[in-house]
Amino acid sequence: MKYRLYGEKEHSFLLFSQVVKAISEKKDYDKQELAQLVKLCFAMNRSTQRTQSQLDSLLQELPMTAFAAPEVAPASQPPAGRRGSLNKSLLSDTPPASTQRRSNLQDLFLVGLIDGDGCFSVSFLANKRILLGFHITGALTKSQLRLFFRVKRRFDQCGSITRKRGTSSKSYCRYQVDSFRDIKKCIVPFMDQHTLYTEKAIHYAKFKKVVDLIERKAHLNRSGFLEIVEIAYDMNQAGKRRKLTKEEYLQKYCSFDPKL
């Protein structure tokens, strides 16, 4: 492969390469070898919720009941500290030694990572405070943490790396930048120099427009604030994941304020 991969993408690609090589050598014609290939496939993309029982069921369907089902290797996870944070040794300002030795993260890879796993967000509080955010989410594994340390280093140590818990009680890690100053200083210049290729390019354009409006203090007057609300609710699936609809938010928090 011409370009370097990092983190979980590197792990998945290495397994993928082994599968391709085995198939090209027709090893999948042998039941025992095929069982091992199935195991490799299940070990890819560790952020998915594949289980041992699913693997057992698949092997029975193939059929391979004569062979013992290989166990799925669990994703390597660092020890967790208190909720919302990772082990202090993993989240210190000094990245692991291996990260320091291989800290040059290719910008094209980072752009692809943002296109696939990144998010630009604009949130609102009850007091009409506007919160901007940028984050990249990945599986809670050591390789993904090493990648996020490289991302943080690429962005001049801006942002933080945290542990999150999903709706299915499965933990994941996230690199995030919430400071307006850091977003303006590190994220916006990088994104302006590179091109996104998915729908995320549209979301970034709207996100940057909000950044520009806030920098001009437009959010402090009625028309500017309402413009930001309109833009924000048109991002990320048209605000489907928000607790309040646009109309509910405006009616609840904005209608009776004479300044707005």
Side-chain angles (χ1 to χ4, degrees):
M1 189 173 180
K2 183 177 179 180
Y3 297 102
R4 169 75 191 281
L5 295 176
Y6 303 84
E8 285 300 291
K9 295 291 191 296
E10 181 181 32
H11 169 268
S12 297
F13 177 73
L14 291 175
L15 294 183
F16 176 78
S17 300
Q18 293 182 46
V19 173
V20 171
K21 184 176 184 294
I23 293 176
S24 67
E25 296 173 354
K26 302 188 184 302
K27 290 184 178 181
D28 55 313
Y29 287 4
D30 179 88
K31 289 184 178 180
Q32 189 68 46
E33 292 288 350
L34 182 55
Q36 295 302 319
L37 290 180
V38 171
K39 176 184 177 181
L40 286 178
C41 293
F42 260 70
M44 293 170 58
N45 305 317
R46 291 184 287 192
S47 60
T48 60
Q49 299 178 16
R50 292 174 171 175
T51 64
Q52 183 67 42
S53 61
Q54 290 175 326
L55 175 58
D56 294 340
S57 298
L58 178 58
L59 293 179
Q60 290 175 3
E61 291 289 334
L62 286 179
M64 296 180 188
T65 54
F67 300 93
E71 294 184 357
V72 179
S76 174
Q77 296 190 1
R82 68 177 187 273
R83 185 174 180 180
S85 64
L86 291 169
N87 184 276
K88 289 184 179 180
S89 64
L90 293 173
L91 286 181
S92 63
D93 291 334
T94 304
S98 58
T99 303
Q100 292 176 321
R101 290 194 301 268
R102 298 159 58 187
S103 61
N104 294 327
L105 186 67
Q106 293 179 354
D107 284 357
L108 288 178
F109 175 86
L110 182 52
V111 171
L113 184 66
I114 294 171
D115 239 337
D117 300 326
C119 179
F120 304 95
S121 63
V122 180
S123 304
F124 303 94
L125 300 182
N127 60 1
K128 304 179 192 65
R129 182 185 174 193
I130 302 173
L131 301 179
L132 300 184
F134 164 75
H135 67 253
I136 307 172
T137 303
L140 185 60
T141 63
K142 291 181 181 179
S143 62
Q144 193 71 22
L145 286 172
R146 285 194 294 268
L147 169 59
F148 283 170
F149 274 116
R150 293 191 180 102
V151 173
K152 185 177 179 181
R153 181 163 181 154
R154 173 60 183 82
F155 287 134
D156 297 328
Q157 300 298 337
C158 290
S160 60
I161 302 170
T162 58
R163 174 179 178 265
K164 302 289 184 179
R165 186 173 296 278
T167 54
S168 61
S169 298
K170 187 172 184 179
S171 297
Y172 59 93
C173 61
R174 172 176 289 175
Y175 167 74
Q176 60 188 53
V177 182
D178 299 320
S179 162
F180 180 83
R181 182 185 63 182
D182 289 344
I183 288 174
K184 184 67 180 177
K185 170 188 172 184
C186 301
I187 306 303
V188 170
F190 177 85
M191 297 310 308
D192 285 350
Q193 293 173 9
H194 300 87
T195 302
L196 295 173
Y197 294 93
T198 66
E199 188 179 4
K200 211 150 289 177
I202 300 175
H203 296 160
Y204 171 70
K206 295 175 181 178
F207 179 81
K208 187 189 175 184
K209 188 172 182 179
V210 173
V211 172
D212 291 340
L213 286 168
I214 293 177
E215 188 176 29
R216 300 200 311 265
K217 309 294 184 182
H219 63 295
L220 299 179
N221 61 67
R222 177 186 176 87
S223 60
F225 182 82
L226 292 178
E227 182 179 0
I228 291 175
V229 171
E230 289 288 341
I231 295 172
Y233 270 85
D234 195 38
M235 295 172 58
N236 303 324
Q237 299 182 353
K240 290 182 179 179
R241 296 182 180 180
R242 296 181 184 271
K243 294 181 180 180
L244 299 177
T245 65
K246 178 179 65 176
E247 292 74 16
E248 289 172 338
Y249 177 79
L250 291 175
Q251 181 178 8
K252 187 172 183 179
Y253 296 113
C254 302
S255 296
F256 304 104
D257 189 339
K259 296 181 181 179
L260 291 173

